[in-house]
Every structure is written in C-alpha cells, then in structure tokens.
C-alpha cells in the first residue's frame, strides 16, 4: 500500500471537495477495493488522478466520473471559476454576460447550473436556459443576447458515458468557439482555480437569469428566413423521414419544417425523445455504421424521399437517399457529397444576387469546394480542421467540413448548424422533387459542372489518445517508409503552422495526378483519421482513382499499426 499512499491521499482529498454524492461513493468504493489489493481498482485510480483534463479548443470532453481526468462537478466548478476569471481579466471594469445551455446527456443540467451559479457569484451576469437546447440555439443566443461568452454543456456525438463543455466568445470573436491562444489562457485560469480552492468553497449565487422559449423562437424565426430563398413548390409532397438520434434537435427542427410547409414528415418514434443512454444505437453519431438503420427501415416502409438525421446536439446533419443498389434500399450521402450540393446552391444564390463572399472549408474536406467557389467568382478558403476556424472567415457565405458540419447562414450563427442546414437541404430537395428530380440528380449536376470527385476516410480507433499520437509520430518521422505504396510528390507538415495556416497536428501528402492523402489524430477521441481525395474531370476516373488509392493506403496503414504495436 505504501507506494500508493499519495494516490490514496489525492483521492480522499477529492472526496472532501466533491459536492456530488454519486461520485463520492464511486471514488470511496475504488479506494476501498484498491486498498484491499484490487489491481484493477488501483489502475483505475491512477488513470483518474494521472493529471488534469486539459481545456483546449474543443473545451472539455471526457467520461463522467470522479477525479481530475473525468467530467464531474468538481472539474466543472473549477472550469466555470477559471472561465469567470478569464472574462473579468479580459474586460476589467465591466460586467461580462454569459449564456449557458445544456443538452440531454447525463448531468448536463447539473453542470450548467453549477456554471451559472458560480459565474453569477463572481459578479458576472449568468443567463441559463430553462430547457434542454441544441448547440446551434446556444450559439445563436450568444449573439442574440449580445453576451460576452457562451457555454454549451454537451459531448455532441461521443459515447453515452461522456460529457463535455464548449466555450464560445462574443465581441471580436463574433460568437465562434475559442481558438489558440485563448484556450491556453482559459486553461491556465482553470488550473489556478483548481489549485487555489476546493470546489465546495467556491461561492455560488442561485439568482441567475432564466432564458425561456422566446430565445428559441427568435432562433427559429431567423432560421426560417432560409426558406424564403427558395420557391415553396414541392414542400407539401416531399416525404421526409427524420431522426434526432435521441438528441435535443427534434422539437425545434420539426417546428421549422411544419412552419415552412413540409407536411409529409415522419419522425422515427424510437429515437424521437431525448435519452442520454442512446438505447437504439451503438454509437450516437450518424456517421457510424448502423446509426441510421431504424430510420432506413421506417423510410422504406413509408416510401420516404429522403432521410434527415441530426447528431444528439443537432450541430451536424446527415442525409440518406433511396438507392435500389443498396441492400437496405438507402445510401447515405458522404459529408463531401452533401457539402458540395449545399455549396453549389449557396454559391449560385450569392453570385445570382451579384454578391461576393467566401466559401470556407476545412483542409480535410474535398478540394471540390474550391472549384465550386472559383466557378462562381467567390473565394475558396481552406482552414484547419474545426468549425471554430471556418466560422471566423471574413465575408463567409457558406462553410463546411466533411464530418457533417455545415453553416448556411453565418449572419445568424457562427458555428456548424445541422438544423438550419437541414431546412436549407429540405427546401432544395423540395424544388428538385417538384421537377421530378432527386438529390442524386443534384449531385450529378455538381459533378457535371465542377468535375468528378471522390473522397473516403480510413478511421482507426485505439485504446488511448497516446496510441493514436504514437502512430502519428511514426508517420511524421519517416513518411516515405510509413506509406511505401504511394508515390509522394510533396509533404506538408502543419504541426508548426505555415504562412497561411496556424499550427495543427496534420500531415498532407500530395500524390501524382493531384490525389491527396491527409493523416491526423482526432481531437476528441482516440482515433487516427486518414483522408483520401481524388478529383478528375470525369466522375468514372475519380471513382477508379479512389479505389486504387484506398487499397494502397489501407495496406500501408495496416502494416504501420502492426509495426507500432510490435514496438
């Protein structure tokens, strides 16, 4: 036991400051088992107390549980206090205003209430939603209420055991999520709070301002302006199957569709009610295989024309279409395919109005976005991964990232917004439907106008972020050895940034014929992602090039991971 004395001391000190009875019991049980020689319990304790969650550009995100490496009321209390210190120091002599929202995940409402009460006690005006709300509504509320910051308690599409904490800033940040060096400054303030006071000693003021349905209505009214950009024909006959995947986007999106004139909408009943356990899916992410199985079954039964899906906090949008060649009868549009359809229509609207603007897209999104922008006389601008970069682009008229993130109305929201993008897409689909066409036809129009394109992704999940980072290090140390099957013409390592881009952990390989391979670790999950892109004048050529490239990269990656495991 002697070698673990310090570990047990830290755990007991944590219990002493934890206001949550459930996590106190959890930790006390771990300590008891570890003291009796349970090696698994000891390892679990070491994992929980082996550092502190780092507040980064994605805020905080981790499994719920006791200890500084988990999401819990102690960590959230110090995060709130640190954020308050940052805001007060940023604008001395003023009273900052912060709007706080939360989704349906376990403890989201508790973490949000803790945040509001601690900020209020610090002399900051805290405004707390009185209901679960989608992330885009929180992002809207920050701008609508002229707040200095926004906090959204959500883990987005992470597993059910997780929760998280996103931070947005107003003022010159225009309501976007934080970027460096702000994340490091907030983290430093959080660690100062963590080291200087117990969570139970932080002052709280329960008299916070409550935000009601009027702000949600304001968001809906602003979003409905999207529908005015389209002819209304076809909306009453377009058959839509919708799923919020047990998340919080359902009520808002369904009201928007009904108000805009979409009357043939069927919601997947088993997934309609917010549920933090996500009982019908193995992983609450519409990108994951099987996530839309229930929607596809119901859509097939009712003869739907398309499926619309949101992730649990409704900032991402997924779309599936009837496909006679698919075993399920349905196929999901890739993030790049959907992005290209939306970008094409948005660029057409902007250029037809005689306006200039920027189409923003992440580095790992298809190069076709740049071709669409150029065709319409708009600027196509690549950014690092993460919508926090896209949303900050001056003159932005449309932004997207291949991971199902889209922004069609940046004047209203400065973050990806699956709800407004979903309304935009439904309006577009209704117009095609009225002409006897589908979104497949719209996609073919994109390819005929701007060129053929195919993209794919190889995603590798590991036991820890450290393993994913180790494989990434191997790629960085000797790229040619990591990918012996490729003829690499250029290597761009953005770890330290470039003239146009800030630092990001990403390596881009330029290949013959303009093909591209990008490798980067996930910022929120223990995954390594490899992105493949081929662009050709003809779609058939792009399809063939992608198949050849995927086979080569998959073989190299398999060998690379095996080599790393052996070491």
């Amino acid at each position: 036991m002697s070698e673990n004395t310090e570990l047990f001391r830290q755990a007991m000190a944590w219990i002493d400051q934890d206001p949550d009875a459930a996590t106190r019991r959890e930790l006390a049980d771990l300590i008891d088992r570890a003291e009796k020689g349970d090696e698994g319990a000891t390892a679990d304790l070491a994992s929980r107390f082996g550092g502190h969650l780092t507040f980064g550009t994605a805020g905080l995100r981790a499994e719920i549980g006791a200890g500084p490496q988990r999401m819990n009321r102690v960590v959230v209390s110090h995060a709130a206090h640190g954020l308050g210190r940052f805001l007060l120091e940023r604008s001395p002599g003023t009273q900052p205003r912060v709007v706080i929202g939360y989704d349906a995940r376990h403890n989201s409402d508790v973490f949000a209430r803790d945040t509001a009460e601690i900020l209020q006690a610090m002399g900051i005006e805290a405004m707390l939603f009185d209901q679960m709300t989608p992330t885009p509504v929180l992002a809207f509320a920050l701008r609508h209420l002229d707040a200095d910051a926004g906090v959204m308690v959500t883990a987005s599409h992470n597993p059910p055991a997780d929760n998280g904490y996103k931070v947005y800033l107003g003022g010159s940040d225009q309501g976007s999520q934080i970027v460096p060096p702000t994340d490091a400054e907030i983290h430093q303030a959080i660690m100062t709070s963590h080291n200087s006071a117990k969570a139970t000693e932080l002052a709280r003021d329960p008299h916070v301002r409550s935000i009601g349905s009027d702000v949600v209505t304001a968001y809906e009214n602003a979003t409905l302006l999207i529908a005015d950009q389209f002819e209304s024909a076809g909306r009453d006959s377009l058959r839509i199957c919708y799923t919020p995947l047990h998340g919080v986007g359902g009520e808002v999106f369904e009201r928007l569709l009904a108000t805009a004139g979409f009357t043939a909408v069927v919601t997947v009943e088993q997934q309609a009610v917010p549920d933090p356990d996500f009982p019908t899916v193995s992983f609450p992410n519409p990108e994951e295989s099987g996530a839309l199985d229930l929607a596809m079954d119901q859509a097939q039964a009712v003869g739907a024309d398309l499926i619309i899906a949101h992730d649990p906090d409704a900032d991402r949008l997924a779309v599936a279409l009837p496909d006679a060649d698919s075993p399920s009868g349905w196929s999901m549009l890739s993030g790049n395919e959907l992005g290209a359809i939306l970008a094409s229509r948005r660029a057409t609207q902007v250029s037809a109005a005689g306006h200039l603007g920027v189409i923003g897209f992440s580095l790992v999104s298809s190069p076709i976005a740049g071709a669409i922008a150029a065709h319409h006389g708009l600027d196509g601008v690549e950014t690092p991964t993460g919508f926090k970069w896209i949303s900050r682009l001056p003159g932005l008229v449309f932004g997207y990232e291949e991971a199902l993130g889209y922004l069609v109305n940046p004047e209203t929201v400065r973050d990806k917004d699956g709800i407004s993008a979903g309304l935009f897409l439904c309006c577009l689909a209704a117009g095609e439907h009225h002409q006897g066409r589908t979104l497949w036809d719209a996609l073919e129009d994109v390819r005929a106008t701007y060129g053929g394109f195919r993209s794919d992704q190889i995603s590798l999940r590991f036991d820890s972020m450290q393993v994913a980072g180790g494989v990434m290090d191997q790629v960085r140390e000797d790229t040619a050895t990591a990918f012996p099957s490729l003829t690499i013409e250029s290597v761009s390592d953005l770890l330290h940034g470039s003239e146009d881009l800030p630092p990001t952990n990403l390596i881009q390989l330029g290949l013959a014929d303009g093909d591209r391979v990008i490798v980067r670790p996930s910022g929120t999950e223990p995954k390594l992602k490899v992105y493949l892109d081929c662009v050709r004048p003809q779609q058939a050529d792009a399809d063939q090039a992608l198949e050849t490239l995927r086979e080569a990269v998959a073989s190299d990656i398999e060998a690379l991971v095996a080599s790393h495991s052996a070491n």
Side-chain angles (χ1 to χ4, degrees):
M1 171 179 162
S2 58
E3 64 185 37
N4 294 317
T5 299
E6 175 60 19
L7 180 61
F8 295 152
R9 186 198 67 76
Q10 292 179 30
M12 291 300 297
W14 189 271
I15 290 175
D16 188 43
Q17 68 166 324
D18 190 348
D20 190 323
T23 44
R24 288 199 306 270
R25 288 193 300 269
E26 173 190 358
L27 198 51
D29 178 66
L30 269 180
I31 294 170
D32 181 61
R33 289 192 284 121
E35 287 178 332
K36 293 175 179 177
D38 186 329
E39 294 183 358
T42 302
D44 193 354
L45 278 176
S47 171
R48 293 165 184 256
F49 288 88
H52 194 285
L53 283 182
T54 299
F55 191 94
T57 55
L60 298 169
R61 196 176 294 187
E63 184 178 349
I64 295 174
Q69 288 278 46
R70 301 289 188 269
M71 282 293 294
N72 49 68
R73 293 186 67 186
V74 176
V75 166
V76 166
S77 294
H78 284 126
H81 196 258
L83 174 62
R85 292 167 63 101
F86 166 81
L87 293 172
L88 290 169
E89 292 171 4
R90 188 189 197 207
S91 304
T94 67
Q95 183 186 33
R97 310 173 77 212
V98 180
V99 57
I100 302 122
Y102 59 94
D103 67 4
R105 284 181 176 266
H106 292 294
N107 280 359
S108 283
D109 57 340
V110 176
F111 295 161
R113 168 59 64 174
D114 283 345
T115 298
E117 292 185 357
I118 288 171
L119 291 174
Q120 189 71 32
M122 297 178 74
I124 294 169
E125 184 182 358
M127 300 174 283
L128 176 65
F129 271 94
D130 63 6
Q131 58 191 302
M132 296 179 294
T133 188
T135 291
V137 176
L138 180 280
F140 166 82
L142 190 160
R143 293 161 62 89
H144 179 69
L145 298 172
D146 194 25
D148 297 280
V151 173
M152 182 66 196
V153 182
T154 178
S156 189
H157 55 277
N158 272 38
D162 291 2
N163 213 329
Y165 200 85
K166 295 181 182 179
V167 172
Y168 300 78
L169 290 178
S172 60
D173 292 84
Q174 303 181 73
S176 295
Q177 283 194 62
I178 57 171
V179 296
T182 301
D183 57 337
E185 294 170 0
I186 295 177
H187 179 70
Q188 182 57 49
I190 291 171
M191 295 310 297
T192 299
S193 296
H194 168 71
N195 294 327
S196 62
K198 294 181 180 179
T200 48
E201 294 174 350
L202 296 175
R204 295 165 181 266
D205 183 347
H207 302 98
V208 302
R209 175 180 166 187
S210 179
I211 300 174
S213 60
D214 56 322
V215 175
V216 180
T217 299
Y219 166 82
E220 293 175 3
N221 290 338
T223 302
L224 277 169
L225 297 177
I226 289 170
D228 295 339
Q229 302 169 18
F230 296 84
E231 297 293 331
S232 61
R235 295 182 192 178
D236 58 349
S237 58
L238 182 72
R239 292 162 296 181
I240 301 168
C241 179
Y242 171 61
T243 176
L245 281 185
H246 300 291
V248 295
E251 288 188 6
V252 172
F253 188 60
E254 289 169 357
R255 279 197 300 267
L256 284 170
L257 287 180
T259 304
F262 293 93
T263 56
V265 181
V266 176
T267 300
V268 179
E269 184 177 353
Q270 303 96 312
Q271 298 172 336
V273 178
D275 188 329
D277 294 317
F278 308 106
T280 68
V281 293
S282 58
F283 205 87
N285 182 351
E287 288 184 289
E288 295 288 332
S289 177
L292 298 188
D293 283 356
L294 279 176
M296 290 179 179
D297 289 344
Q298 182 152 348
Q300 194 74 0
V302 301
D305 297 302
L306 78 163
I307 294 169
I308 296 288
H310 289 129
D311 69 337
D313 68 328
D315 63 351
R316 298 171 190 253
L317 169 71
V319 174
L321 302 175
D323 182 357
D325 295 328
S326 169
S328 67
W330 291 80
S331 287
M332 184 172 154
L333 290 172
S334 73
N336 282 313
E337 289 172 336
L338 179 52
I341 292 172
L342 294 171
S344 175
R345 179 56 62 93
R346 189 74 187 101
T348 299
Q349 291 175 338
V350 172
S351 60
H355 297 154
L356 299 176
V358 168
I359 290 181
F361 50 100
S362 64
L363 281 165
V364 297
S365 301
S366 172
I368 198 64
I372 292 171
H375 181 90
H376 291 276
L378 306 176
D379 291 329
V381 179
E382 283 187 324
T383 74
T385 55
F387 235 89
K388 55 188 172 286
W389 299 108
I390 296 171
S391 65
R392 294 169 178 271
L393 292 173
L396 184 69
V397 295
F398 174 76
Y400 99 93
E401 57 183 3
E402 52 74 42
L404 305 183
Y406 310 99
L407 177 56
V408 299
N409 56 342
E411 68 283 355
T412 302
V413 175
R414 283 283 168 168
D415 194 13
K416 56 184 176 289
D417 182 350
I419 295 175
S420 61
L423 179 62
F424 187 103
L425 193 280
C426 287
C427 290
L428 192 162
E432 298 290 343
H433 178 70
H434 182 66
Q435 298 176 46
R437 289 162 44 92
T438 71
L439 290 177
W440 289 125
D441 296 309
L443 180 59
E444 287 307 307
D445 288 348
V446 168
R447 288 169 166 155
T449 303
Y450 313 107
F453 66 99
R454 277 291 302 277
S455 302
D456 205 350
Q457 183 186 135
I458 299 173
S459 184
L460 305 168
R461 183 176 290 275
F462 301 99
D463 293 333
S464 70
M465 301 285 273
Q466 288 74 20
V467 176
V471 175
M472 186 71 182
D473 290 341
Q474 281 188 262
V475 174
R476 178 167 281 116
E477 289 167 8
D478 193 344
T479 306
T481 300
F483 293 100
S485 300
L486 305 182
T487 302
I488 301 172
E489 296 188 346
S490 65
V491 178
S492 298
D493 187 346
L494 295 179
L495 186 62
H496 302 294
S498 69
E499 182 178 345
D500 300 318
L501 295 167
T504 183
N505 193 2
L506 179 150
I507 297 173
Q508 178 174 301
L509 313 180
L511 311 179
D513 298 317
D515 294 345
R516 187 181 73 179
V517 174
I518 293 176
V519 186
R520 77 172 186 94
S522 169
T524 57
E525 302 172 77
K527 295 168 68 174
L528 192 71
K529 298 184 177 182
V530 184
Y531 302 84
L532 315 175
D533 286 293
C534 299
V535 178
R536 297 287 192 280
Q538 301 300 320
Q539 186 59 39
D541 295 334
D543 292 342
Q544 181 58 54
L546 193 281
E547 295 305 317
T548 302
L549 180 60
R550 180 181 175 85
E551 183 177 344
V553 171
S555 175
D556 289 348
I557 284 289
E558 182 179 349
L560 178 65
V561 172
S563 171
H564 180 82
S565 300
N567 294 332

